[in-house]
Amino acid sequence: MKILLLGKNGQVGWELQRSLAPLGELIALDRLGQVDLSGDLSDLQALRAMIRQVAPDVVVNAAAYTSVDKAESDTEMADRINARASQVIAEEVESLGAWLVLYSTDYVFNGQGDAPWRETDQAAPLNYYGLSKLNGENAIIASGCRYLIFRTSWVYAARGNNFAKTMLRLAAERETLNVVADQVGAPTGADLIADVTALALQKALRQPELAGVYHLVAAGQASWYQYASYVIDFARAHGEGVLVKSVVPVPSTSFPTPARRPLNSRLDTRKIRESFSLSLPEWEVGVTRMLMEVLNK
Ligand code: NDP
């Protein structure tokens, strides 16, 4: 089996390089691609030609325009990478009779209420990033190709920058830290997403009726304030330099941003757990592992 992985150096892409490797021949590209293979999703013609040349059995697209605030003004590029590139990939995957895996986001929802969102709930994005990701989902669904779309949230990885690392840095510099407490979701490790992708893909290849949209996040829930508090308590308990004396819960309105964020980012994961016989660990399990790795404990 030939698997084409796009966005190999992002948080999720990096972990997919590991989890997909045992499934078959893996051709992994970043934006720069390889000598004769374009990896740039913004060049739609080159993208189409590259997929035709590789002729994979599965395309896993972990590349995306992920700068949520920048997307509000850079709409053309966000749309091209998150929506139109998805359409091109889906068209080519459909004509190859292959499978397509795409990652999408809790930001397709408007964040009202406090019930976890189900896959069947109405999407209504509050920001352009969410809209461009939803347009990408819809293009894939409309193409008639076989697909797995995993909507996830609050992704972190030991590699690269993330919210937890920012909190560790600020906690070492400041006595008081204000953190948003009215947005609730589930911090989800890129490693978990990559492992579930490999497991789900293996099963879907044998049972094509499993194609569909799935919510994929760690179990439990937290606000950014609770997440930050957990990270700082861990650092303090493990002898890290923590100056901060008070972590203060504040509303989202204290941090105005170009893009509005949903308050309720809870995702219901029953469908993925039942369809693929999976268990999803509590968010603290993965965050603890990441902190131990980052802090070398
Ligand atoms: P990252 O931002 O870590 O990685 C995105 C990757 O896409 C980067 O490697 C980036 O490359 C690449 N990329 C951007 N533009 C292009 C382009 N024009 N051509 C080729 N590659 C490009 O994202 P994550 O790993 O966190 O996200 C993976 C998926 O999960 C995405 O679909 C995202 O929308 C989704 N998601 C992420 C969430 C999060 O909290 N991060 C939450 C919910 C969903 P480069 O480094 O060169 O820019």
Side-chain angles (χ1 to χ4, degrees):
M1 181 167 67
K2 200 189 267 190
I3 304 172
L4 172 62
L5 169 62
L6 304 174
K8 70 167 185 172
N9 289 330
Q11 297 190 92
V12 174
W14 180 257
E15 293 294 333
L16 284 166
Q17 289 191 55
R18 170 186 58 74
S19 73
L20 296 176
L23 301 191
E25 181 193 351
L26 183 61
I27 296 152
L29 303 178
D30 60 10
R31 186 195 292 260
L32 298 175
Q34 291 175 5
V35 190
D36 53 344
L37 298 176
S38 171
D40 184 354
L41 269 65
S42 69
D43 185 340
L44 300 178
Q45 264 188 319
L47 176 66
R48 194 182 291 281
M50 181 274 290
I51 297 171
R52 285 186 188 173
Q53 192 177 334
V54 175
D57 302 292
V58 181
V59 177
V60 180
N61 181 14
Y65 189 106
T66 53
S67 305
V68 175
D69 287 317
K70 215 171 138 203
E72 290 299 301
S73 49
D74 195 11
T75 54
E76 203 283 324
M77 191 53 88
D79 180 65
R80 194 183 316 169
I81 294 169
N82 291 344
R84 282 186 284 148
S86 284
Q87 178 169 356
V88 166
I89 298 168
E91 285 167 3
E92 292 307 313
V93 163
E94 200 278 328
S95 63
L96 287 165
W99 277 81
L100 173 55
V101 178
L102 178 84
Y103 301 92
S104 188
T105 171
D106 55 295
Y107 284 13
V108 300
F109 295 113
N110 65 12
Q112 286 176 9
D114 53 15
W117 297 100
R118 304 197 61 172
E119 288 82 352
T120 45
D121 287 332
Q122 181 67 45
L126 295 176
N127 55 49
Y128 198 83
Y129 165 76
L131 178 64
S132 67
K133 295 294 293 185
L134 179 63
N135 288 340
E137 288 187 11
N138 287 335
I140 290 171
I141 294 166
S143 75
C145 79
R146 287 180 294 181
Y147 64 88
L148 292 170
I149 294 174
F150 298 118
R151 291 188 187 137
T152 189
S153 76
W154 298 20
V155 178
Y156 65 83
R159 189 168 178 269
N161 294 321
N162 67 46
F163 173 81
K165 285 191 194 176
T166 304
M167 291 303 115
L168 289 173
R169 180 173 51 77
L170 294 177
E173 290 170 6
R174 298 184 189 174
E175 292 203 349
T176 304
L177 212 52
N178 294 341
V179 189
V180 168
D182 57 2
Q183 293 172 27
V184 176
T188 301
D191 51 356
L192 178 66
I193 296 169
D195 289 344
V196 169
T197 300
L199 289 167
L201 189 53
Q202 270 196 308
K203 192 163 178 187
L205 287 166
R206 291 193 303 270
Q207 292 173 244
E209 68 277 11
L210 288 171
V213 177
Y214 294 92
H215 289 173
L216 167 52
V217 287
Q221 62 180 51
S223 65
W224 292 110
Y225 164 75
Q226 288 168 321
Y227 184 10
S229 300
Y230 184 85
V231 168
I232 292 165
D233 288 348
F234 181 95
R236 194 178 277 119
H238 287 80
E240 290 298 308
V242 175
L243 181 68
V244 78
K245 292 193 174 64
S246 133
V247 183
V248 184
V250 297
S252 304
T253 47
S254 301
F255 288 103
T257 50
R260 279 176 71 200
R261 265 86 172 159
L263 299 182
N264 175 19
S265 281
R266 298 170 184 87
L267 296 179
D268 185 318
T269 59
R270 183 180 310 172
K271 183 181 173 193
I272 195 167
R273 286 183 285 111
E274 290 181 355
S275 303
F276 296 101
S277 311
L278 290 171
S279 167
L280 293 166
E282 295 291 323
W283 66 266
E284 292 96 329
V285 174
V287 168
T288 302
R289 267 180 63 86
M290 179 264 293
L291 290 171
M292 293 181 80
E293 206 169 328
V294 165
L295 298 172
N296 227 347
K297 297 297 170 189

